[in-house]
Amino acid sequence: MRGALPVGENLRLWGLRVEANCPFCGEAETPFHLFVKCQFATWIWDHAPFQKHLDPATFTSLQAFIEKAKTHTCLPPCGVNVGPLYPWIIWSIWITRNQRIFNDKRTNPGETLTQAISLAHEWNRSQAPTSLTPQLSQRQLLPQQDPRAVVCHTDAAWIGDLKVAGLGWIFSNCSAGPSNHGSVRVDCIRSSLLAEATAVLFALQTAVRLGFTNLLIASDSKQLIEAISSEIPQMELYGILFDILSLSSSFNQIRFVFVSRKLNSKADALAKLAIHNSVPIPV
Ligand SMILES: [Zn+2]
């Protein structure tokens, strides 16, 4: 980062390369441009699952940007066992750039971000003393509804313009007292699917805290339930899906099921109230 990277502008200063332009947009290629200001990099920073948006437009140097990036943690849904993401984003941009220049391989910014998140998870897993296995074991996957399972309905309300979500969850078939339901308002949520997944994650965290070991999670998002059941990472859900599956390992038995909106009306009401920052309702 101290002028040592062989980006185009440095090569030109060293008299080594005539072509000194960014392979993504054609502008002069400085490290600051390549990693922060280029539209390719900007897309990635805009979509990275940080708790707070890291806006490349507000920075005037790479050093200032990295100092700020160091303070950015991943979204609560992404936060379980996830270390810093920014070095992996920079690394992945660098790899993508080299592949484009030397191998003429075209990768879009979404793929580069997915690669960065994947590398971050891989790194964290390799650092953890006991590695997490996100896959659910056969023992944990209930073939059918267990009458003893605590049932948890979850739902989310999402306002796209504001990227704000209200999340609600409610436990039944248990004696959790006033803790039998919860709701929260969360900012910086980029899609309704991510909001639904975040609701499930909050519900799981609460269930762990309450000591439940046999759980049935019900959601009216078919897409989410299919994503969890298939355990196939999607870019939009990659980090949070990992967290959901990791946390699921805490339960002796767990099952995720799709339910109709009608059957999910109480969780829906909690989510809608949370988005307006109102007080919890008695259920
Ligand atoms: Zn560029």
Side-chain angles (χ1 to χ4, degrees):
M1 297 293 154
R2 297 170 191 266
L5 272 182
V7 292
E9 192 67 13
N10 289 341
L11 289 174
R12 190 163 57 195
L13 290 173
W14 302 336
L16 293 176
R17 188 168 169 240
V18 180
E19 178 63 53
N21 295 332
C22 170
F24 300 119
C25 71
E27 283 188 31
E29 190 196 46
T30 62
F32 184 43
H33 171 84
L34 178 67
F35 297 123
V36 182
K37 289 290 186 181
C38 180
Q39 62 201 25
F40 188 91
T42 301
W43 189 98
I44 292 173
W45 294 113
D46 280 344
H47 290 79
F50 291 123
Q51 201 158 13
K52 286 182 188 169
H53 180 217
L54 190 57
D55 185 4
T58 57
F59 293 88
T60 54
S61 76
L62 179 59
Q63 198 175 2
F65 183 79
I66 287 178
E67 284 307 314
K68 190 69 184 174
K70 282 181 188 171
T71 66
H72 273 54
T73 49
C74 286
L75 271 173
C78 224
V80 182
N81 291 301
V82 175
L85 178 61
Y86 80 92
W88 298 108
I89 291 180
I90 289 174
W91 175 249
S92 296
I93 292 173
W94 180 244
I95 297 296
T96 304
R97 174 255 190 210
N98 289 342
Q99 285 178 340
R100 187 172 290 215
I101 291 176
F102 301 118
N103 301 331
D104 199 27
K105 187 181 172 201
R106 308 251 147 193
T107 306
N108 68 41
E111 289 166 333
T112 302
L113 176 58
T114 303
Q115 183 191 22
I117 293 171
S118 172
L119 287 170
H121 280 307
E122 213 172 288
W123 170 258
N124 288 327
R125 274 202 300 277
S126 69
Q127 300 304 302
T130 50
S131 75
L132 291 164
T133 35
Q135 281 77 24
L136 301 178
S137 67
Q138 286 305 314
R139 179 178 59 84
Q140 288 174 311
L141 287 168
L142 294 172
Q144 57 194 12
Q145 185 165 347
D146 182 337
R148 293 162 302 172
V150 171
V151 178
C152 180
H153 285 81
T154 72
D155 205 0
W158 183 66
I159 301 178
D161 292 346
L162 302 175
K163 304 273 186 290
V164 164
L167 316 175
W169 58 93
I170 176 163
F171 296 100
S172 56
N173 203 22
C174 64
S175 52
S179 303
N180 77 335
H181 69 276
S183 61
V184 67
R185 178 188 154 125
V186 185
D187 295 328
C188 301
I189 298 289
R190 291 189 190 83
S191 69
S192 60
L193 181 60
L194 188 57
E196 297 281 359
T198 311
V200 167
L201 186 66
F202 271 85
L204 286 176
Q205 288 169 340
T206 308
V208 169
R209 210 165 45 242
L210 292 172
F212 300 144
T213 55
N214 185 350
L215 190 67
L216 184 138
I217 293 271
S219 164
D220 59 25
S221 169
K222 200 168 191 178
Q223 199 184 350
L224 175 65
I225 296 301
E226 282 175 357
I228 294 172
S229 304
S230 66
E231 299 181 12
I232 297 169
Q234 300 179 5
M235 199 196 103
E236 189 181 352
L237 288 178
Y238 191 92
I240 189 164
L241 205 55
F242 180 87
D243 290 347
I244 287 172
L245 295 173
S246 297
L247 209 49
S248 297
S249 315
S250 317
F251 298 89
N252 292 337
Q253 292 185 317
I254 189 162
R255 189 171 180 228
F256 297 88
V257 294
F258 167 72
V259 291
S260 67
R261 286 189 168 190
K262 198 175 163 189
L263 288 176
N264 215 29
S265 58
K266 286 180 179 174
D268 176 57
L270 284 167
K272 284 191 174 127
L273 276 175
I275 209 167
H276 298 298
N277 244 349
S278 55
V279 291
I281 53 160
V283 184

